[in-house]
Amino acid sequence: SKATVSVLYCFSPLKMMKQVVFCALFAIATASVDKTVIATPDAPGAIGPYSQAIKVNNNGAIMVYVSGQIGMFPNGTLASGGIVPEAQRAMTNIENILKAAGSTMDNIVECTCLLADLSEYAAFNGVYSKFFSVAPPARAAFQVVMLPKSARTEVKCSAFAE
């Protein structure tokens, strides 16, 4: 879908400085943004009212926002064996979603990692680090009380696309 905001005119009885700011905001508000839902059978379908990812083209700046992925296979079963196989599957899901969106793991600029237990942080990092062949993205990691399907980890990210 395309979201376009427009203003009919850029005239105002405001003082000159305020009018310049208003006109700058007008230019930003009239930017055209294309929003595309990304869905692939190579990652689990959403288990709630959200998309696997959204691809946004904002006047040529293309970004992909990947929803949180747990260690679930496309058939809906959770990887068994704890944090390592779950982290491996969650990161593989992200990789598959990015591929469907025309991007790669190397294009990720930010990740948020949720863990059910921060004592598994080192094991998680061991898996996570293998998915980045160049400088790893900016990241935050948090321990949470519970994740969907009683998963051990969930990862969401933002990446640029070509």
Side-chain angles (χ1 to χ4, degrees), residues 5-74:
V5 178
S6 58
V7 178
L8 295 177
Y9 55 87
C10 188
F11 299 104
S12 170
L14 301 173
K15 293 185 180 182
M16 186 61 152
M17 186 58 152
K18 288 183 180 177
Q19 189 163 354
V20 169
V21 171
F22 178 79
C23 289
L25 290 174
F26 169 77
I28 292 169
T30 59
S32 178
V33 177
D34 292 322
K35 176 179 154 183
T36 305
V37 172
I38 303 299
T40 177
D42 297 327
I47 55 176
Y50 58 90
S51 302
Q52 287 176 333
I54 297 292
K55 185 175 185 177
V56 176
N57 182 340
N58 185 357
N59 292 317
I62 304 171
M63 292 294 296
V64 180
Y65 300 93
V66 179
S67 293
Q69 296 298 306
I70 60 175
M72 193 164 64
F73 291 98

Side-chain angles (χ1 to χ4, degrees), residues 54-142:
I54 297 292
K55 185 175 185 177
V56 176
N57 182 340
N58 185 357
N59 292 317
I62 304 171
M63 292 294 296
V64 180
Y65 300 93
V66 179
S67 293
Q69 296 298 306
I70 60 175
M72 193 164 64
F73 291 98
N75 68 8
T77 61
L78 196 63
S80 61
I83 189 73
V84 170
E86 284 189 38
Q88 174 75 35
R89 187 66 233 176
M91 297 302 290
T92 299
N93 290 340
I94 289 171
E95 189 171 49
N96 291 341
I97 292 167
L98 287 173
K99 182 179 178 185
S103 191
T104 68
M105 297 297 280
D106 288 337
N107 292 348
I108 294 175
V109 294
E110 173 274 332
C111 282
T112 301
C113 306
L114 308 176
L115 286 85
D117 186 348
L118 274 179
S119 70
E120 298 176 323
Y121 188 71
F124 172 82
N125 279 337
V127 174
Y128 177 91
S129 64
K130 293 177 184 170
F131 280 84
F132 300 102
S133 62
V134 295
R139 185 181 92 173
F142 304 95

